[in-house]
Amino acid sequence: MWRSQAFSVSHADGGAFQGAGLRAFFEYRDLGIAGATGGRFGAHVIRAVPGEKSPAAWHSHTLDFQMVYVTRGWVVFEYEGKGEHVLRAGSCVLQPPGIRHRELRHSDDLELIEITAPAEFATHAAEAPA
């Protein structure tokens, strides 16, 4: 029910990107959704750190929902049983809970929005799928 959520507004000119996120080759800007929903949902803008590359490590997340929408640039993900996918501006992917995946490469101008449930979740290193 909406009453268990607080009103929240986030503006680009007031939001700062932080480098202390899940991946060192990305910067994150919190959109205030975690605070407004008591941590039930999270949303942030992620952008590439120019010149930094992904180690292409397989991993999975313990969460209930993860959606990625690319707003600028491109990124190549590989998913267990689904192969490689090039996501460009306007591309959207729903990553099912626990699916093994890895980010292979991205453009220096990559920017995307990620929405998760819950806001905080565990990430686990994973073996490459057979």
Side-chain angles (χ1 to χ4, degrees), residues 83-100:
E84 289 185 22
H85 292 269
V86 179
L87 305 178
R88 296 176 186 83
S91 297
C92 182
V93 63
L94 176 65
Q95 297 178 175
I99 190 171
R100 287 183 284 182

Side-chain angles (χ1 to χ4, degrees), residues 82-122:
K82 303 299 180 189
E84 289 185 22
H85 292 269
V86 179
L87 305 178
R88 296 176 186 83
S91 297
C92 182
V93 63
L94 176 65
Q95 297 178 175
I99 190 171
R100 287 183 284 182
H101 62 284
R102 62 184 179 161
E103 192 265 334
L104 296 172
R105 57 194 169 278
H106 58 266
S107 62
D108 276 349
D109 66 340
L110 173 66
E111 188 171 280
L112 57 85
I113 296 170
E114 181 179 60
I115 300 171
T116 64
E120 298 291 327
F121 54 88

Side-chain angles (χ1 to χ4, degrees), residues 60-78:
S60 66
H61 305 294
T62 302
L63 44 56
D64 297 319
F65 179 86
Q66 184 178 23
M67 187 205 86
V68 172
Y69 181 84
V70 178
T71 58
R72 182 173 48 199
W74 56 266
V75 60
V76 180
F77 285 108
E78 184 175 9

